[in-house]
Amino acid sequence: MTDAVTLFGIRHHGPGCARSLRRALETLQPDCVLIEGPAGSEPLLAHLADAAMQPPVALLSHAVDDPQLAVFHPYAEFSPEWQALQWAAQAAVPVQFIDVPAGISLAWQQQARRAEEVAADVDEAPSDEEAVVDEATANLPHDPLDWLAHAAGYDDGESWWNHMVEERGDGEGLFEAIAAAMTELRTHAPQRPRGDEAQEAIREAHMRSLLRDARKAGHARIAVVCGAWHVPALAASVTAAADKAVLKGVDKLKAQTTWVPWTYRHLARRSGYAAGIAAPGWYDHLWRQPAAGSRAIGWFARVARLLREHELDCSSAHLIEASRLADTLAALRERPAPGLDELNEATRSVICMGDDAPMRLIAERLMLGDALGSVPSAVPTVPLQRDLEAQQKRLRLKPEALSRTLDLDLRNDNDRQRSQLLHRLALLGIEWGRLGAVGRSSRGTFHEVWQLAWEPSFAVELIVASRYGHTLALAASARGLEQARAANRLSELASLIDRVLLANLPDAVEQVAAELQARAATDADPLALLGALPALANVYRYGNVRQTDVAQVAQLFDSMLLRASLGLPLALADLDDESAVQAREQILAADRAVELRQGESQQQAWQRALHIVAHADSGTPLLRGLCCRLLLDAAVLPLDEVRRQLSQQLSSGAEPLPAAQWLDGFLNRNATVLLHSDALWALIDEWIAGLGEEHFVRVLPLVRRSFAAFAAADRRDLGLRVQRPAGASRAAVTELAWDENRARRALPMLRELLGVADG
């Protein structure tokens, strides 16, 4: 620190530092402000005067040649850097960012990614020297502030810094004390070895270089706002030549920078943000409630409002007693006012009565917070993002950080267009919404239920996706075609048709369908053809609800079903047990698909194939039994024929294991046929009772697995039926006397329930 330069060491996103910094700047009245931020981004500061610029926001920088390489510099209203920017704008004082340009940070990110790829390819154990270093540093504090915290009797540096700096408001001599503390730490505290010492040295050399340039420009009072850790390095006497040598030859990528909205959720440490804080919502409260006396009262008022909104009990007496307890805890701990720890302990003990469930709600909604910033429309961005923003505005679909449920009625034009927008984003890999079901099915009705939550990283994904097109429709279509060409299975292509149809991309539907048709024409595997049918059936069955043309899909379905039906008996002839289990799932899914298609000729072709498989003399018993059951459920196989098949497959001369496999397929995880057919029950009972001990032990696991798949209520009913003597249920029904007068008394209620007029 010199007469011309004043160093303000701050914590990124610290409200106490921000408040003290504003007061210090008012006192100092510097004629130049240097801020730790990506150098070269100064032209974007012109947007700060726009009222639409509302924090939290972030400077997003991405590599021009590889947009997936991106770096964020976020700011909240309580960030000291943001307050320095605001003060400088109001005072008309020039501002400059002095950290390394974004292109250098992106180059480091690229190098780290390559190093990870190399490490993944070469899995090497640590050397003996590395192991010794790891063991020697295992017990060292991770955060250098922990040394000061332990000396002051605190558990960790986070809580110490909160109580000493952020929760104490404007501190007299705060920045001089921070500078002294950081100097001691960097001089004496043993540091855990890190891999970024070289990068840190480059950053500090760059900051010193720009500080020298500001001095040469003739500024009389220079204010430098930087992370507290860097203060001793910027105050050190280092020659310009030494810094120039450090900066020589540093790699740099071509980068572009813009402003993007940010969220408190992504300011939190748990999001993975390196400079993250534990409770952004609490820091926001500290910024808005500077007076220690009213801070606890304001916090408890917010707690009460939140709990009452969720219909949880929180009376005035709760709040009074919780406030008293928080004050008492602060006094016992010799703290001037309750901090977040004391407020949380009082809330859990008094208001929540020791229950952690309401505390989780408080942590999510108040301590973390759901704030989402905004940026002006004049901020430079890619055309694809502009198109998305225009559609969001037109469809009244505002991005929100907090997860919410969106129930769309697809008969409504606006809701249908919202659905198409979300499906187009999903094709691009931008999962703003996740399709689910809450209360009602999301497929097969006029409703789609989405869970929406906006992520700041979507800004990067939009930049990456912009290579596919300048509008969502063009980009999603191009991405769909790329996925179609990369698909390895017919089922993937069929599912992709469903997705592009839901996104209302007719050109993509035509081209993906053509790709599927070309692949299906050369694919001789009937099971692969069957795997594509369920998705096509869904498209055909539910497409009209979404006002999409499904004629081409119906034609595809019919041709693929016919080819699969013709080849199915041969494809199922000689499968091993594992392949047979997989084929069963494909056959069941295809059977449901044919039922959805609701075409008579299609059902006949499918049932002919099932009939051939069911009556084959050879083949997998599991699948023969399954086909027999499907024909029985479709009411195209007479019960007498089913009895004959069952008698033949479970005869005393049949091998027990194939017989058990056939029975497993026939039962098909459904006990209905056993509960309602005495003849089939008797045949299966006779087969099991006639097994010898050795055969019974062999088939028992398979039979148990078959019965274990039944619903619990069905297993209970089967157990009750086993307890009854044979024929008891029919005899009980036969012996019941018909009472016509009692039956007539139920007729009025039945007519009312069924809506039938009196006859």
Side-chain angles (χ1 to χ4, degrees):
M1 195 174 302
T2 68
D3 294 337
V5 178
T6 305
L7 300 175
F8 296 104
I10 51 89
R11 178 187 185 169
H12 303 297
H13 321 303
C17 287
R19 186 171 296 109
S20 297
L21 178 63
R22 281 298 294 243
R23 177 172 292 184
L25 291 176
E26 291 288 349
T27 302
L28 180 63
Q29 290 294 310
D31 58 359
C32 176
V33 177
L34 306 182
I35 299 176
E36 181 186 333
S41 305
E42 291 80 7
L44 291 170
L45 298 181
H47 297 287
L48 295 180
D50 195 316
M53 179 72 80
Q54 296 293 328
V57 293
L59 285 168
L60 161 63
S61 304
H62 67 91
V64 174
D65 298 328
D66 187 359
Q68 290 182 331
L69 290 173
V71 61
F72 296 93
H73 291 84
Y75 305 102
E77 185 177 2
F78 50 79
S79 299
E81 300 94 331
W82 182 262
Q83 290 302 319
L85 290 172
Q86 295 297 315
W87 182 90
Q90 294 166 7
V93 171
V95 175
Q96 184 177 6
F97 287 130
I98 59 173
D99 206 345
V100 293
I104 295 179
S105 299
L106 294 171
W108 290 340
Q109 193 178 112
Q110 185 183 63
Q111 294 164 8
R113 187 172 68 180
R114 290 173 179 171
E116 290 175 359
E117 293 172 354
V118 171
D121 294 337
V122 183
D123 187 12
E124 296 181 351
S127 63
D128 294 340
E129 182 180 350
E130 291 173 336
V132 170
V133 172
D134 289 342
E135 183 177 356
T137 61
N139 296 321
L140 291 178
H142 179 73
D143 185 350
L145 289 179
D146 288 348
W147 291 98
L148 297 177
H150 294 165
Y154 288 81
D155 292 333
D156 54 74
E158 173 79 14
S159 58
W160 174 81
W161 185 274
N162 278 338
H163 289 127
M164 297 301 296
V165 179
E166 309 304 348
E167 295 176 355
R168 295 185 65 168
D170 296 326
E172 293 297 332
L174 173 65
F175 296 108
E176 289 80 359
I178 289 176
M182 294 303 108
T183 300
E184 290 298 316
L185 281 179
R186 293 192 64 150
T187 303
H188 301 293
Q191 296 302 312
R192 184 186 295 272
R194 301 181 300 173
D196 60 353
E197 293 91 345
Q199 294 179 9
E200 186 174 277
I202 292 172
R203 292 179 61 202
E204 292 174 346
H206 191 274
M207 287 190 270
R208 285 192 297 265
S209 297
L210 293 188
L211 179 54
R212 291 190 194 94
D213 293 342
R215 285 171 173 165
K216 292 177 183 178
H219 293 292
R221 295 180 304 281
I222 303 173
V224 180
V225 180
C226 63
W229 183 253
H230 301 300
V231 169
L234 299 189
S237 297
V238 181
T239 64
D243 283 340
K244 187 176 181 179
V246 172
L247 296 173
K248 185 178 181 180
V250 176
D251 292 336
K252 182 178 180 181
L253 300 181
K254 186 177 180 181
Q256 290 182 350
T257 304
T258 187
W259 287 107
V260 295
W262 203 250
T263 69
Y264 279 178
R265 194 172 303 274
H266 291 83
L267 278 178
R269 187 184 301 111
R270 74 183 195 185
S271 70
Y273 172 42
I277 52 181
W282 168 245
Y283 272 15
D284 179 270
H285 181 72
L286 288 178
W287 174 253
R288 299 179 189 279
Q289 297 282 344
S294 61
R295 187 180 301 156
I297 297 173
W299 181 258
F300 282 129
R302 296 179 64 189
V303 168
R305 186 183 305 113
L306 175 66
L307 295 180
R308 290 166 184 170
E309 286 174 354
H310 288 78
E311 299 182 355
L312 297 174
D313 185 29
C314 185
S315 66
S316 299
H318 281 120
L319 301 179
I320 294 170
E321 291 304 318
S323 181
R324 288 175 177 172
L325 178 56
D327 289 337
T328 302
L329 290 172
L332 288 172
R333 294 166 182 172
E334 298 181 352
R335 295 172 184 171
L340 184 59
D341 291 340
E342 289 76 29
L343 295 177
N344 280 341
E345 291 175 31
T347 301
R348 178 182 284 106
S349 300
V350 177
I351 299 177
C352 300
M353 306 296 289
D355 187 357
D356 283 336
M359 288 302 301
R360 287 193 290 270
L361 175 64
I362 293 170
E364 185 73 16
R365 298 294 296 275
L366 296 185
M367 293 171 57
L368 189 61
D370 54 10
L372 172 65
S374 64
V375 299
S377 58
V379 167
T381 186
V382 294
L384 183 62
Q385 185 170 346
R386 286 278 179 247
D387 183 54
L388 173 60
E389 291 171 353
Q391 294 193 47
Q392 289 171 334
K393 184 177 181 180
R394 178 173 58 84
L395 298 175
R396 300 186 298 279
L397 202 56
K398 182 180 179 181
E400 296 177 348
L402 190 65
S403 177
R404 70 182 181 97
T405 300
L406 180 68
D407 193 342
L408 300 179
D409 185 342
L410 300 176
R411 295 167 295 186
N412 178 282
D413 182 63
N414 189 70
D415 278 4
R416 188 167 57 253
Q417 291 185 51
R418 287 177 171 183
S419 170
Q420 292 165 2
L421 170 64
L422 294 171
H423 281 294
R424 289 175 181 180
L425 288 172
L427 273 171
L428 293 171
I430 301 172
E431 295 187 346
W432 177 18
R434 294 180 181 272
L435 189 61
V438 179
R440 285 176 285 195
S441 173
S442 62
R443 292 301 304 267
T445 70
F446 290 102
H447 288 272
E448 280 184 350
V449 182
W450 295 82
Q451 291 294 325
L452 301 184
W454 184 261
E455 301 282 348
S457 59
F458 293 158
V460 178
E461 295 173 13
L462 282 167
I463 294 171
V464 174
S466 64
R467 70 181 187 270
Y468 294 110
H470 298 317
T471 67
L472 279 177
L474 291 175
S477 295
R479 176 59 178 148
L481 294 178
E482 182 181 77
Q483 292 177 352
R485 297 185 185 101
N488 296 319
R489 296 190 299 272
L490 295 181
S491 58
E492 294 178 11
L493 281 169
S495 298
L496 188 58
I497 289 181
D498 189 14
R499 296 176 64 193
V500 293
L501 264 173
L502 294 177
N504 191 24
L505 302 170
D507 292 340
V509 171
E510 183 176 348
Q511 296 183 58
V512 175
E515 181 75 18
L516 175 59
Q517 195 165 17
R519 297 269 195 98
T522 58
D523 197 323
D525 184 4
L527 291 177
L529 295 172
L530 288 183
L533 295 182
L536 294 177
N538 277 331
V539 172
Y540 177 81
R541 174 65 180 84
Y542 303 123
N544 288 336
V545 174
R546 297 163 175 85
Q547 297 187 2
T548 53
D549 184 10
V550 295
Q552 188 176 12
V553 172
Q555 181 182 357
L556 262 175
F557 182 97
D558 295 346
S559 63
M560 293 173 66
L561 173 63
L562 179 60
R563 292 185 58 223
S565 299
L566 292 174
L568 186 63
L570 184 61
L572 302 182
D574 296 309
L575 296 179
D576 57 31
D577 291 345
E578 183 178 353
S579 300
V581 172
Q582 296 176 356
R584 171 164 68 174
E585 301 304 323
Q586 291 175 289
I587 292 173
L588 288 173
D591 188 70
R592 291 190 292 269
V594 173
E595 185 178 357
L596 279 178
R597 176 67 176 86
Q598 295 182 346
E600 183 176 351
S601 61
Q602 290 79 12
Q603 288 181 341
Q604 290 176 353
W606 175 244
Q607 289 166 0
R608 280 195 300 270
L610 295 180
H611 193 276
I612 295 173
V613 175
H615 291 80
D617 294 330
S618 60
T620 308
L622 174 73
L623 300 179
R624 288 191 285 112
L626 173 65
C627 292
C628 186
R629 174 59 183 275
L630 292 178
L631 293 171
L632 173 64
D633 291 343
V636 296
L637 194 65
L639 189 59
D640 291 340
E641 175 64 19
V642 175
R643 291 196 190 99
R644 190 186 69 78
Q645 284 283 333
L646 195 63
S647 300
Q648 179 181 342
Q649 300 297 331
L650 302 183
S651 64
S652 57
E655 283 292 323
L657 191 56
Q661 291 174 336
W662 188 94
L663 180 62
D664 184 25
F666 178 77
L667 294 178
N668 192 28
R669 308 165 187 166
N670 191 328
T672 304
V673 68
L674 290 177
L675 292 172
H676 298 286
S677 175
D678 290 338
L680 298 181
W681 172 274
L683 286 171
I684 295 173
D685 180 58
E686 181 181 353
W687 171 69
I688 293 178
L691 290 173
E693 181 179 355
E694 180 182 352
H695 287 169
F696 180 77
V697 171
R698 288 176 58 192
V699 304
L700 180 60
L702 186 58
V703 174
R704 287 187 62 184
R705 187 177 66 186
S706 302
F707 280 72
F710 296 160
D714 289 341
R715 292 201 303 270
R716 184 175 60 252
D717 292 342
L718 288 173
L720 294 174
R721 179 161 188 174
V722 168
Q723 296 176 4
R724 294 197 302 266
S729 58
R730 282 185 176 273
V733 173
T734 304
E735 294 171 1
L736 288 176
W738 175 254
D739 189 336
E740 186 172 349
N741 290 330
R742 291 185 63 189
R744 287 182 181 278
R745 289 202 295 269
L747 290 179
M749 179 61 70
L750 289 174
R751 289 193 183 99
E752 183 176 352
L753 291 174
L754 298 175
V756 178
D758 292 342

